Amino acid sequence: MKIRQYWLVYDISDDKERTRVERCVSRYGQRLQKSVFHCVLDASRLRQLQGELEALACQSGAILLAALADPPQWASLGKAAPALGENWVFTWP
């Protein structure tokens, strides 16, 4: 089974909905910022995550799941950014 990297980003205004999304996503990935997570998932875990998020039926915002290009390429910008590579590219699932 192929494993891919994803960034999951959300903008949800309702505190209860946001907390539920945060708890769900934290089981699948690592927080990068307040509403940005990095997830490494195979196809089965991806479907599982998508199903759990859909079941939450959030009404006060949006969730975006972006697949990183295969192979992933990175760029770090800014004084405190970690050195991750030379370039970054997104593909959409």
mmCIF file of all heavy atoms in Angstrom, residues 44-81:
data_model
loop_
_atom_site.group_PDB
_atom_site.id
_atom_site.type_symbol
_atom_site.label_atom_id
_atom_site.label_comp_id
_atom_site.label_asym_id
_atom_site.label_seq_id
_atom_site.Cartn_x
_atom_site.Cartn_y
_atom_site.Cartn_z
ATOM 1 N N SER A 44 -5.905 3.297 3.203
ATOM 2 C CA SER A 44 -6.898 2.884 4.201
ATOM 3 C C SER A 44 -7.067 3.930 5.297
ATOM 4 O O SER A 44 -8.187 4.290 5.661
ATOM 5 C CB SER A 44 -6.480 1.536 4.803
ATOM 6 O OG SER A 44 -7.329 1.178 5.849
ATOM 7 N N ARG A 45 -5.953 4.426 5.830
ATOM 8 C CA ARG A 45 -6.008 5.458 6.886
ATOM 9 C C ARG A 45 -6.573 6.764 6.331
ATOM 10 O O ARG A 45 -7.276 7.483 7.036
ATOM 11 C CB ARG A 45 -4.627 5.691 7.478
ATOM 12 C CG ARG A 45 -4.056 4.544 8.272
ATOM 13 C CD ARG A 45 -4.561 4.463 9.680
ATOM 14 N NE ARG A 45 -4.009 5.564 10.480
ATOM 15 C CZ ARG A 45 -4.466 5.892 11.664
ATOM 16 N NH1 ARG A 45 -5.460 5.242 12.197
ATOM 17 N NH2 ARG A 45 -3.942 6.884 12.326
ATOM 18 N N LEU A 46 -6.285 7.079 5.084
ATOM 19 C CA LEU A 46 -6.837 8.275 4.467
ATOM 20 C C LEU A 46 -8.365 8.186 4.407
ATOM 21 O O LEU A 46 -9.064 9.124 4.788
ATOM 22 C CB LEU A 46 -6.255 8.471 3.066
ATOM 23 C CG LEU A 46 -6.836 9.617 2.248
ATOM 24 C CD1 LEU A 46 -6.599 10.957 2.927
ATOM 25 C CD2 LEU A 46 -6.253 9.602 0.835
ATOM 26 N N ARG A 47 -8.886 7.056 3.940
ATOM 27 C CA ARG A 47 -10.339 6.869 3.882
ATOM 28 C C ARG A 47 -10.951 6.936 5.281
ATOM 29 O O ARG A 47 -12.020 7.512 5.479
ATOM 30 C CB ARG A 47 -10.683 5.531 3.218
ATOM 31 C CG ARG A 47 -10.537 5.542 1.708
ATOM 32 C CD ARG A 47 -11.118 4.287 1.072
ATOM 33 N NE ARG A 47 -10.534 3.057 1.608
ATOM 34 C CZ ARG A 47 -9.423 2.489 1.159
ATOM 35 N NH1 ARG A 47 -8.766 3.036 0.163
ATOM 36 N NH2 ARG A 47 -8.973 1.369 1.687
ATOM 37 N N GLN A 48 -10.263 6.354 6.254
ATOM 38 C CA GLN A 48 -10.743 6.371 7.634
ATOM 39 C C GLN A 48 -10.819 7.814 8.151
ATOM 40 O O GLN A 48 -11.828 8.220 8.742
ATOM 41 C CB GLN A 48 -9.808 5.533 8.500
ATOM 42 C CG GLN A 48 -10.277 5.291 9.895
ATOM 43 C CD GLN A 48 -9.318 4.368 10.652
ATOM 44 O OE1 GLN A 48 -8.216 4.051 10.196
ATOM 45 N NE2 GLN A 48 -9.737 3.936 11.812
ATOM 46 N N LEU A 49 -9.775 8.597 7.936
ATOM 47 C CA LEU A 49 -9.757 9.991 8.366
ATOM 48 C C LEU A 49 -10.868 10.781 7.676
ATOM 49 O O LEU A 49 -11.623 11.505 8.323
ATOM 50 C CB LEU A 49 -8.396 10.625 8.070
ATOM 51 C CG LEU A 49 -8.288 12.141 8.267
ATOM 52 C CD1 LEU A 49 -8.619 12.542 9.694
ATOM 53 C CD2 LEU A 49 -6.904 12.624 7.859
ATOM 54 N N GLN A 50 -10.994 10.624 6.369
ATOM 55 C CA GLN A 50 -12.028 11.339 5.630
ATOM 56 C C GLN A 50 -13.418 10.974 6.139
ATOM 57 O O GLN A 50 -14.281 11.841 6.293
ATOM 58 C CB GLN A 50 -11.917 11.054 4.139
ATOM 59 C CG GLN A 50 -10.708 11.704 3.503
ATOM 60 C CD GLN A 50 -10.513 11.291 2.059
ATOM 61 O OE1 GLN A 50 -10.649 10.114 1.709
ATOM 62 N NE2 GLN A 50 -10.169 12.247 1.218
ATOM 63 N N GLY A 51 -13.643 9.692 6.420
ATOM 64 C CA GLY A 51 -14.939 9.261 6.947
ATOM 65 C C GLY A 51 -15.244 9.865 8.309
ATOM 66 O O GLY A 51 -16.367 10.317 8.562
ATOM 67 N N GLU A 52 -14.239 9.893 9.181
ATOM 68 C CA GLU A 52 -14.437 10.481 10.508
ATOM 69 C C GLU A 52 -14.732 11.976 10.409
ATOM 70 O O GLU A 52 -15.595 12.493 11.118
ATOM 71 C CB GLU A 52 -13.221 10.235 11.393
ATOM 72 C CG GLU A 52 -13.089 8.798 11.845
ATOM 73 C CD GLU A 52 -11.921 8.585 12.797
ATOM 74 O OE1 GLU A 52 -11.554 9.532 13.528
ATOM 75 O OE2 GLU A 52 -11.369 7.474 12.793
ATOM 76 N N LEU A 53 -14.014 12.670 9.532
ATOM 77 C CA LEU A 53 -14.252 14.104 9.375
ATOM 78 C C LEU A 53 -15.632 14.381 8.779
ATOM 79 O O LEU A 53 -16.320 15.301 9.204
ATOM 80 C CB LEU A 53 -13.151 14.737 8.516
ATOM 81 C CG LEU A 53 -11.772 14.805 9.167
ATOM 82 C CD1 LEU A 53 -10.731 15.247 8.150
ATOM 83 C CD2 LEU A 53 -11.788 15.729 10.377
ATOM 84 N N GLU A 54 -16.034 13.584 7.803
ATOM 85 C CA GLU A 54 -17.368 13.754 7.220
ATOM 86 C C GLU A 54 -18.451 13.500 8.256
ATOM 87 O O GLU A 54 -19.465 14.190 8.292
ATOM 88 C CB GLU A 54 -17.550 12.831 6.023
ATOM 89 C CG GLU A 54 -16.763 13.275 4.814
ATOM 90 C CD GLU A 54 -16.833 12.298 3.657
ATOM 91 O OE1 GLU A 54 -17.611 11.313 3.724
ATOM 92 O OE2 GLU A 54 -16.094 12.505 2.683
ATOM 93 N N ALA A 55 -18.239 12.527 9.140
ATOM 94 C CA ALA A 55 -19.219 12.211 10.181
ATOM 95 C C ALA A 55 -19.379 13.358 11.174
ATOM 96 O O ALA A 55 -20.443 13.488 11.798
ATOM 97 C CB ALA A 55 -18.809 10.930 10.910
ATOM 98 N N LEU A 56 -18.357 14.190 11.325
ATOM 99 C CA LEU A 56 -18.464 15.341 12.229
ATOM 100 C C LEU A 56 -19.423 16.394 11.682
ATOM 101 O O LEU A 56 -19.972 17.181 12.448
ATOM 102 C CB LEU A 56 -17.089 15.964 12.469
ATOM 103 C CG LEU A 56 -16.080 15.097 13.217
ATOM 104 C CD1 LEU A 56 -14.734 15.814 13.297
ATOM 105 C CD2 LEU A 56 -16.577 14.733 14.592
ATOM 106 N N ALA A 57 -19.632 16.417 10.383
ATOM 107 C CA ALA A 57 -20.591 17.307 9.719
ATOM 108 C C ALA A 57 -20.443 18.755 10.163
ATOM 109 O O ALA A 57 -21.408 19.397 10.572
ATOM 110 C CB ALA A 57 -22.016 16.809 9.940
ATOM 111 N N CYS A 58 -19.247 19.285 10.070
ATOM 112 C CA CYS A 58 -18.989 20.671 10.474
ATOM 113 C C CYS A 58 -19.750 21.641 9.577
ATOM 114 O O CYS A 58 -19.741 21.508 8.362
ATOM 115 C CB CYS A 58 -17.500 20.975 10.406
ATOM 116 S SG CYS A 58 -16.557 20.079 11.627
ATOM 117 N N GLN A 59 -20.385 22.618 10.196
ATOM 118 C CA GLN A 59 -21.176 23.601 9.478
ATOM 119 C C GLN A 59 -20.583 25.004 9.533
ATOM 120 O O GLN A 59 -21.072 25.894 8.847
ATOM 121 C CB GLN A 59 -22.598 23.642 10.059
ATOM 122 C CG GLN A 59 -23.325 22.322 9.993
ATOM 123 C CD GLN A 59 -23.568 21.893 8.555
ATOM 124 O OE1 GLN A 59 -24.051 22.681 7.749
ATOM 125 N NE2 GLN A 59 -23.220 20.662 8.225
ATOM 126 N N SER A 60 -19.569 25.214 10.368
ATOM 127 C CA SER A 60 -19.090 26.583 10.595
ATOM 128 C C SER A 60 -17.750 26.888 9.935
ATOM 129 O O SER A 60 -17.090 27.855 10.310
ATOM 130 C CB SER A 60 -18.974 26.837 12.098
ATOM 131 O OG SER A 60 -17.925 26.077 12.656
ATOM 132 N N GLY A 61 -17.347 26.092 8.980
ATOM 133 C CA GLY A 61 -16.066 26.361 8.338
ATOM 134 C C GLY A 61 -15.724 25.321 7.305
ATOM 135 O O GLY A 61 -16.607 24.627 6.789
ATOM 136 N N ALA A 62 -14.436 25.191 7.027
ATOM 137 C CA ALA A 62 -13.982 24.289 5.970
ATOM 138 C C ALA A 62 -12.729 23.551 6.408
ATOM 139 O O ALA A 62 -11.968 24.027 7.239
ATOM 140 C CB ALA A 62 -13.691 25.081 4.703
ATOM 141 N N ILE A 63 -12.550 22.368 5.809
ATOM 142 C CA ILE A 63 -11.369 21.539 6.028
ATOM 143 C C ILE A 63 -10.785 21.232 4.656
ATOM 144 O O ILE A 63 -11.503 20.824 3.748
ATOM 145 C CB ILE A 63 -11.735 20.227 6.748
ATOM 146 C CG1 ILE A 63 -12.403 20.511 8.083
ATOM 147 C CG2 ILE A 63 -10.506 19.348 6.921
ATOM 148 C CD1 ILE A 63 -13.060 19.300 8.720
ATOM 149 N N LEU A 64 -9.487 21.417 4.513
ATOM 150 C CA LEU A 64 -8.790 21.116 3.259
ATOM 151 C C LEU A 64 -7.730 20.068 3.527
ATOM 152 O O LEU A 64 -6.926 20.212 4.452
ATOM 153 C CB LEU A 64 -8.130 22.379 2.695
ATOM 154 C CG LEU A 64 -7.226 22.164 1.476
ATOM 155 C CD1 LEU A 64 -8.048 21.745 0.267
ATOM 156 C CD2 LEU A 64 -6.442 23.420 1.175
ATOM 157 N N LEU A 65 -7.735 19.027 2.732
ATOM 158 C CA LEU A 65 -6.723 17.979 2.813
ATOM 159 C C LEU A 65 -5.938 18.009 1.510
ATOM 160 O O LEU A 65 -6.493 17.771 0.442
ATOM 161 C CB LEU A 65 -7.396 16.618 3.007
ATOM 162 C CG LEU A 65 -6.491 15.415 3.188
ATOM 163 C CD1 LEU A 65 -5.659 15.554 4.454
ATOM 164 C CD2 LEU A 65 -7.323 14.149 3.250
ATOM 165 N N ALA A 66 -4.648 18.353 1.588
ATOM 166 C CA ALA A 66 -3.810 18.487 0.399
ATOM 167 C C ALA A 66 -2.733 17.423 0.413
ATOM 168 O O ALA A 66 -1.983 17.303 1.380
ATOM 169 C CB ALA A 66 -3.167 19.870 0.366
ATOM 170 N N ALA A 67 -2.655 16.645 -0.663
ATOM 171 C CA ALA A 67 -1.605 15.639 -0.804
ATOM 172 C C ALA A 67 -0.334 16.322 -1.274
ATOM 173 O O ALA A 67 -0.356 17.130 -2.203
ATOM 174 C CB ALA A 67 -2.025 14.575 -1.808
ATOM 175 N N LEU A 68 0.772 16.016 -0.632
ATOM 176 C CA LEU A 68 2.058 16.549 -1.067
ATOM 177 C C LEU A 68 2.532 15.742 -2.267
ATOM 178 O O LEU A 68 2.245 14.558 -2.394
ATOM 179 C CB LEU A 68 3.085 16.476 0.061
ATOM 180 C CG LEU A 68 2.741 17.294 1.302
ATOM 181 C CD1 LEU A 68 3.821 17.116 2.357
ATOM 182 C CD2 LEU A 68 2.560 18.754 0.965
ATOM 183 N N ALA A 69 3.250 16.392 -3.153
ATOM 184 C CA ALA A 69 3.731 15.739 -4.366
ATOM 185 C C ALA A 69 4.579 14.524 -4.019
ATOM 186 O O ALA A 69 5.179 14.438 -2.955
ATOM 187 C CB ALA A 69 4.543 16.715 -5.199
ATOM 188 N N ASP A 70 4.619 13.583 -4.935
ATOM 189 C CA ASP A 70 5.367 12.355 -4.725
ATOM 190 C C ASP A 70 6.528 12.317 -5.721
ATOM 191 O O ASP A 70 6.285 12.233 -6.923
ATOM 192 C CB ASP A 70 4.447 11.164 -4.940
ATOM 193 C CG ASP A 70 5.088 9.857 -4.568
ATOM 194 O OD1 ASP A 70 6.060 9.874 -3.803
ATOM 195 O OD2 ASP A 70 4.610 8.816 -5.037
ATOM 196 N N PRO A 71 7.769 12.403 -5.347
ATOM 197 C CA PRO A 71 8.239 12.532 -3.967
ATOM 198 C C PRO A 71 8.074 13.967 -3.481
ATOM 199 O O PRO A 71 8.105 14.904 -4.281
ATOM 200 C CB PRO A 71 9.723 12.170 -4.042
ATOM 201 C CG PRO A 71 10.116 12.572 -5.421
ATOM 202 C CD PRO A 71 8.893 12.345 -6.286
ATOM 203 N N PRO A 72 7.892 14.143 -2.174
ATOM 204 C CA PRO A 72 7.717 15.501 -1.662
ATOM 205 C C PRO A 72 8.992 16.311 -1.799
ATOM 206 O O PRO A 72 10.092 15.774 -1.684
ATOM 207 C CB PRO A 72 7.365 15.288 -0.187
ATOM 208 C CG PRO A 72 7.892 13.938 0.137
ATOM 209 C CD PRO A 72 7.848 13.137 -1.132
ATOM 210 N N GLN A 73 8.819 17.579 -2.081
ATOM 211 C CA GLN A 73 9.936 18.514 -2.140
ATOM 212 C C GLN A 73 9.575 19.666 -1.221
ATOM 213 O O GLN A 73 8.417 20.042 -1.120
ATOM 214 C CB GLN A 73 10.156 19.004 -3.564
ATOM 215 C CG GLN A 73 10.525 17.882 -4.508
ATOM 216 C CD GLN A 73 10.636 18.385 -5.933
ATOM 217 O OE1 GLN A 73 9.858 19.212 -6.367
ATOM 218 N NE2 GLN A 73 11.627 17.885 -6.643
ATOM 219 N N TRP A 74 10.573 20.238 -0.558
ATOM 220 C CA TRP A 74 10.315 21.231 0.477
ATOM 221 C C TRP A 74 11.153 22.474 0.279
ATOM 222 O O TRP A 74 12.237 22.405 -0.268
ATOM 223 C CB TRP A 74 10.662 20.659 1.851
ATOM 224 C CG TRP A 74 9.940 19.414 2.189
ATOM 225 C CD1 TRP A 74 10.336 18.135 1.927
ATOM 226 C CD2 TRP A 74 8.701 19.300 2.850
ATOM 227 N NE1 TRP A 74 9.421 17.252 2.400
ATOM 228 C CE2 TRP A 74 8.402 17.936 2.977
ATOM 229 C CE3 TRP A 74 7.800 20.229 3.371
ATOM 230 C CZ2 TRP A 74 7.242 17.476 3.586
ATOM 231 C CZ3 TRP A 74 6.653 19.762 3.982
ATOM 232 C CH2 TRP A 74 6.387 18.404 4.073
ATOM 233 N N ALA A 75 10.644 23.566 0.797
ATOM 234 C CA ALA A 75 11.423 24.799 0.907
ATOM 235 C C ALA A 75 11.143 25.381 2.270
ATOM 236 O O ALA A 75 10.015 25.319 2.762
ATOM 237 C CB ALA A 75 11.006 25.791 -0.169
ATOM 238 N N SER A 76 12.152 25.885 2.911
ATOM 239 C CA SER A 76 11.935 26.562 4.191
ATOM 240 C C SER A 76 12.212 28.040 3.986
ATOM 241 O O SER A 76 13.179 28.420 3.353
ATOM 242 C CB SER A 76 12.827 25.972 5.278
ATOM 243 O OG SER A 76 14.182 26.099 4.934
ATOM 244 N N LEU A 77 11.319 28.862 4.507
ATOM 245 C CA LEU A 77 11.416 30.297 4.336
ATOM 246 C C LEU A 77 11.358 30.960 5.701
ATOM 247 O O LEU A 77 10.657 30.488 6.594
ATOM 248 C CB LEU A 77 10.273 30.812 3.468
ATOM 249 C CG LEU A 77 10.115 30.127 2.119
ATOM 250 C CD1 LEU A 77 8.807 30.536 1.474
ATOM 251 C CD2 LEU A 77 11.279 30.481 1.220
ATOM 252 N N GLY A 78 12.053 32.035 5.870
ATOM 253 C CA GLY A 78 12.010 32.766 7.124
ATOM 254 C C GLY A 78 13.149 32.400 8.040
ATOM 255 O O GLY A 78 13.787 31.356 7.904
ATOM 256 N N LYS A 79 13.390 33.268 8.976
ATOM 257 C CA LYS A 79 14.525 33.126 9.871
ATOM 258 C C LYS A 79 14.484 31.855 10.708
ATOM 259 O O LYS A 79 15.486 31.188 10.907
ATOM 260 C CB LYS A 79 14.593 34.356 10.773
ATOM 261 C CG LYS A 79 15.802 34.403 11.659
ATOM 262 C CD LYS A 79 15.827 35.714 12.429
ATOM 263 C CE LYS A 79 17.054 35.776 13.306
ATOM 264 N NZ LYS A 79 17.106 37.028 14.053
ATOM 265 N N ALA A 80 13.304 31.483 11.230
ATOM 266 C CA ALA A 80 13.198 30.346 12.142
ATOM 267 C C ALA A 80 12.749 29.063 11.452
ATOM 268 O O ALA A 80 12.544 28.057 12.109
ATOM 269 C CB ALA A 80 12.231 30.680 13.267
ATOM 270 N N ALA A 81 12.570 29.090 10.148
ATOM 271 C CA ALA A 81 12.069 27.915 9.439
ATOM 272 C C ALA A 81 13.128 26.817 9.402
ATOM 273 O O ALA A 81 14.300 27.082 9.189
ATOM 274 C CB ALA A 81 11.675 28.293 8.013
#
